[in-house]
Amino acid sequence: MPDITQISSPLLEKLPLALMMADSAGHVLYGNARACAMTGYSATELAATRLGRLFTQCLLPGADAAATLALPASAERGPTPSHCTTLRRRDGLGLPVRLYRENLEWDGVPYELIALHDRTHEELAREQAEISAMIVQATDRGIVVLDAQYRITHANAAIATMLGVERDALHGAPFGTLLAGAENDIGTLRQFRAHLARRTSFEVDVQARGPQGVALWLRCAVTPHYADDGTLDDLIIIIHDITHDRQLRNLQRDVVEALTDQFSLREMLDFMCRRIELIAPDCLAVVMLSTGGVLHAGGHGAMPLPVLQAFEGLEASTAGGACGTAIATAKEVEVPDLAAEDRWPALRTVVAEHALAAEWAVPIILRNGDVAGSFSLYFRTPGQPGAWHRRIVNACVHLAMLAIEQQRSRESIIRLSYTDRLTGLPNRLWLNRRLNELVARPPATVLSIMVIDLDRFRKIVQALGQGRADQMLLELAGRLRHGIVGRDVLVRTEGDEFVVLTTQDATNITHLAERIIHTLEEPVTIDGIPINISGSIGISTHQDGQAVEETLRQAYTALAQAKKAGRCCYRFFHPSMNRQAEDHIILASALREAIADNRLTLVYQPQVDLSTGELHGVEALSRWNDAVLGMVSPGRFIPVAEETGQIRAIGVWSLRAACAQMAQWIARGIPVPTVSVNVSAIQFQDPELVPQLASILHETSVPPERLIVELTETAMIENFEQTVATARAIRELGIGLSMDDFGTGYSSLSNLASLPISEVKIDRSFMNGFGSTGNVRQVVTAIIRIGHTLGMTVVAEGVEDAAQCAQLRNIDCDVIQGYYFGRPMDTAALDTWIRERRAEPVPAA
């Protein structure tokens, strides 16, 4: 027998195709390298193997089903066609292959040549194609394929179901078949073509019609495929029904707009329930709210009124039906069959009468954890809520929570706006509204107003601090509240001021006023410290036809009289008080407007050095020229400002205006060494004074040594420790400090020595009767010597003639201020005065 293996050659070994040679008995005689690799056998092992061990029956329909590959006896056969089978590898694994058989003879002996092609990738591709086809048909997403003319060449079952048509009806139909036939269709087609021109995947929303003409919104994800030459081959469109998404988004948008437009809570919840019933017509929506543990309807759609009335007033508990149970347990409650529910027989009867078969209640839980109510859906047929119902309620419960919280916030704002935060009493805003309400009603009872003001409360605040003062106010508010009886109302209007609205007669009002004064006189103990306090009361009675503001003003007028009478007493308003208070009230009101409109001005009075005649500095003085009242002297408006608290605003304005003017003088080279500004005792006790000074100097870039702050002896007497601390802080900034009106108060020399004062000013009252001899001269001489001893500059105010100048020069006074050298003048006049004046020493007497 010839050796068939001689046909082996390097070429066969290099072929990528697996080749084997077998004899007529099915013995493998030869296998190339690729055949060894595919079977897992070595060349020697493969040559000792039979074909029957290597292959199974064919796998594909129509292929040769022979169990053995042994050749028939006759060697005269044609080529055997290829077929698919499985190759058994040496490791036992099966490998899908395509088998090719060819008969040949060698030296008259028949043999068979077998070629194998690995079909693994073909099988994977076939399986993937089958899976893809199965997915296309099984998915709930609609899938259509369009040709280059936008005609449907394929449509799966899902899109046919969405549109309510047969699949065959879609084949060959244009893309426009998906549209609703509405006016916006042309716009959709135009948008489709515009996106397609960009040759990339895109999405477009299409309005369509579903079964029975139901409006649908479909989102189409379009993927175009192009041929090698760049022409459009086909388009694959995956379609998702977004109708519910749109409906829910529109509902949420509309509710949020209603929230923004400040709709009432009832309007908001009614609107929400009606919209739910529109997009879920198989149910009825109701929102039940819990107020004080009692149920009441917050909003509803088409729910029958008798059903709502059955729930109204029930407890928000497990006895209050599914909605009450949801509120009480903070958990959702499902009742698939109301007819079989035995927990609420009365409610079961009324819902059955209106053909309601099932209920689902979800608690409305606020962000602070409170359960404010429940959101309920009622169904006409028994069963549980579907996924669409859950999506709706999940969104609407959140929106209802926002609406309820917004309503509560509005109520809280209103409540806070009418309530004093410290005491919880009604405030001035409430008082004004209440007075207008009472006056608008027909006169049935006499209304009187009592204004209570604590005496010297500001000093108590300075001594105790604001925190302890607030504790004291709380204690006093409690006492006053307990002393109020009947329909009388206690109001805290501001600070230490309270108001009582009372309908009692004059005799009882007198008893009430005395009782209040006695109550206030009882010491208040704060942190173990007993505090004695008293109060003054002004009382007025409203007259028919009188404006309520006038009645309140009369009460304040009576209060002012009580203060003048020595405090710790009460006064009834009398018409004669109006004439006394009119000027004060008008002046205070006009001053407030003048400060707000920046109508105050500063004038400057020169201060001259006696030894050189040079300008030592100027004092800034406030002036007020009112369009109605005319020129109002500081002697009139400064006390009013101190009483009304406006003195702080005047003080800050004066400091800022004076420094701004000094900055101008410096920029223009006008030699004004210093500017002095008077600071009131009230402002000097303000902890914000030093930061304000630092800020003003920084804003105006004025050197601190060019500013002098003047304080009075009163500021030093009222709170000496605070005065010393503030004075040192001012001096640390580099600002000069002057003691104004020295000699008119009651400060001791030790207090004067303790303050870091750079200047002392002799009050103008000492110039009356000042001569070459006498007690006044001796006092002035003593003040000058004390000032010099303490290293201070001494300024004499109110100097009006040459004799006074000469005598002050004799006793070594440093600086003179008064009409003798110049009256207070505006900046233009002062500039002229400085430019035209010649500096000459003042001669001694």
Side-chain angles (χ1 to χ4, degrees), residues 754-774:
S754 299
L755 289 170
I757 292 176
S758 57
E759 178 182 278
V760 61
K761 300 183 77 171
I762 302 172
D763 187 70
R764 66 182 65 252
S765 61
F766 287 101
M767 294 301 99
N768 296 327
F770 178 75
S772 58
T773 60

Side-chain angles (χ1 to χ4, degrees), residues 553-573:
R553 188 184 68 81
Q554 291 174 353
Y556 280 105
T557 301
L559 174 65
Q561 293 298 316
K563 294 281 189 182
K564 289 183 180 180
R567 298 183 172 89
C568 195
C569 62
Y570 61 90
R571 290 290 184 271
F572 283 88
F573 172 79

Side-chain angles (χ1 to χ4, degrees), residues 409-676:
S409 296
R410 283 200 295 258
E411 292 173 352
S412 178
I413 291 171
I414 294 172
R415 185 169 57 253
L416 288 174
S417 65
Y418 288 115
T419 303
D420 176 59
R421 294 189 178 184
L422 176 63
T423 63
L425 295 172
N427 61 11
R428 180 177 290 279
L429 192 61
W430 181 92
L431 174 66
N432 294 337
R433 188 187 71 170
R434 183 59 176 164
L435 285 173
N436 287 318
E437 289 175 352
L438 292 173
V439 171
R441 295 177 181 178
T445 56
V446 176
L447 173 66
S448 296
I449 300 175
M450 302 176 65
V451 180
I452 306 166
D453 187 79
L454 302 182
D455 299 329
R456 300 183 179 87
F457 183 73
R458 189 176 64 194
K459 293 185 178 180
I460 294 175
V461 174
Q462 293 173 349
L464 299 179
Q466 190 62 53
R468 287 175 174 169
D470 286 345
Q471 292 182 45
M472 186 187 72
L473 285 173
L474 274 172
E475 170 68 24
L476 293 176
R479 291 185 187 180
L480 293 173
R481 187 188 289 113
H482 287 100
I484 301 299
V485 296
R487 293 183 295 173
D488 297 349
V489 181
L490 177 66
V491 180
R492 185 192 179 205
T493 52
E494 59 184 351
D496 61 329
E497 182 181 282
F498 297 86
V499 170
V500 176
L501 296 183
T502 178
T503 56
Q504 300 186 47
D505 56 27
T507 301
N508 288 327
I509 291 175
T510 300
H511 294 326
L512 176 59
E514 291 175 348
R515 189 165 63 248
I516 290 173
I517 288 176
H518 177 72
T519 298
L520 294 176
E521 285 180 331
E522 296 179 11
V524 179
T525 302
I526 304 295
D527 293 341
I529 304 172
I531 303 168
N532 293 311
I533 197 167
S534 62
S536 302
I537 302 175
I539 308 169
S540 66
T541 299
H542 181 72
Q543 306 296 323
D544 292 345
Q546 179 175 271
V548 66
E549 293 81 4
E550 177 64 17
T551 305
L552 191 58
R553 188 184 68 81
Q554 291 174 353
Y556 280 105
T557 301
L559 174 65
Q561 293 298 316
K563 294 281 189 182
K564 289 183 180 180
R567 298 183 172 89
C568 195
C569 62
Y570 61 90
R571 290 290 184 271
F572 283 88
F573 172 79
H574 189 275
S576 61
M577 296 178 181
N578 274 334
R579 291 187 295 273
Q580 301 173 15
E582 184 176 11
D583 182 64
H584 182 279
I585 295 173
I586 293 175
L587 205 62
S589 177
L591 178 60
R592 185 175 288 106
E593 293 178 0
I595 295 171
D597 296 342
N598 198 28
R599 294 202 305 256
L600 299 182
T601 58
L602 286 181
V603 294
Y604 302 90
Q605 187 170 31
Q607 299 170 332
V608 177
D609 189 310
L610 278 175
S611 61
T612 64
E614 297 286 345
L615 180 65
H616 173 76
V618 297
E619 180 180 2
L621 301 168
S622 299
R623 292 293 184 266
W624 177 22
N625 188 4
D626 188 79
V628 177
L629 301 176
M631 182 62 70
V632 184
S633 69
R636 288 183 64 199
F637 74 80
I638 292 298
V640 172
E642 290 177 341
E643 289 181 21
T644 59
Q646 298 177 78
I647 193 65
R648 288 188 178 89
I650 293 177
V652 173
W653 170 83
S654 299
L655 288 166
R656 182 169 279 109
C659 286
Q661 182 58 52
M662 175 57 78
Q664 292 184 24
W665 283 326
I666 293 173
R668 292 163 54 200
I670 296 176
V672 178
T674 62
V675 60
S676 300

Side-chain angles (χ1 to χ4, degrees), residues 606-608 610 616 619 676 708 710 738-742 758-764 767 780 783-784 788 792-799 808 812-818:
Q607 299 170 332
V608 177
L610 278 175
H616 173 76
E619 180 180 2
S676 300
I708 296 176
E710 296 186 6
S738 176
M739 175 66 76
D740 193 21
D741 300 337
F742 186 76
S758 57
E759 178 182 278
V760 61
K761 300 183 77 171
I762 302 172
D763 187 70
R764 66 182 65 252
M767 294 301 99
V780 172
I783 293 173
I784 294 172
H788 288 166
M792 302 173 186
T793 299
V794 181
V795 180
E797 293 183 297
V799 179
L808 288 168
D812 297 327
C813 183
D814 301 309
V815 178
I816 286 177
Q817 176 181 340

Side-chain angles (χ1 to χ4, degrees), residues 221-234:
V222 183
T223 303
H225 291 159
Y226 295 90
D228 293 339
D229 61 359
T231 59
L232 180 64
D233 201 352
D234 57 28

Side-chain angles (χ1 to χ4, degrees), residues 37-41 53-57 59 84-98 116-121 123-124 127:
M38 190 178 290
T39 61
Y41 290 95
R53 294 181 57 188
L54 292 176
F55 298 98
T56 65
Q57 291 183 346
L59 300 177
C84 297
T85 185
T86 300
L87 172 67
R88 291 198 190 96
R89 288 175 44 86
R90 186 176 186 277
D91 55 15
L93 296 177
L95 184 69
V97 294
R98 184 174 295 278
L116 300 176
H117 173 67
D118 188 348
R119 293 182 49 256
T120 302
H121 292 299
E123 285 296 305
L124 288 175
E127 291 175 1

Side-chain angles (χ1 to χ4, degrees), residues 163-227:
L163 300 177
V165 299
E166 296 293 331
R167 290 175 60 189
D168 293 343
L170 293 175
H171 187 74
F175 173 71
T177 302
L178 301 179
L179 302 178
E183 293 180 0
N184 60 346
D185 285 352
I186 189 64
T188 302
L189 288 172
R190 190 179 294 118
Q191 184 184 10
F192 183 85
R193 291 177 178 273
H195 281 299
L196 194 60
R198 302 188 184 109
R199 302 177 68 84
T200 59
S201 299
F202 60 91
E203 287 188 352
V204 61
D205 289 350
V206 171
Q207 191 173 8
R209 294 286 180 189
Q212 289 82 47
V214 175
L216 297 178
W217 275 99
L218 306 178
R219 177 154 296 162
C220 300
V222 183
T223 303
H225 291 159
Y226 295 90

Side-chain angles (χ1 to χ4, degrees), residues 384-407:
Q384 295 180 324
W388 175 226
H389 301 114
R390 291 188 177 276
R391 286 188 61 192
I392 293 173
V393 171
N394 286 341
C396 290
V397 162
H398 179 72
L399 294 171
M401 178 268 289
L402 293 178
I404 292 169
E405 288 189 344
Q406 184 188 69
Q407 176 68 16

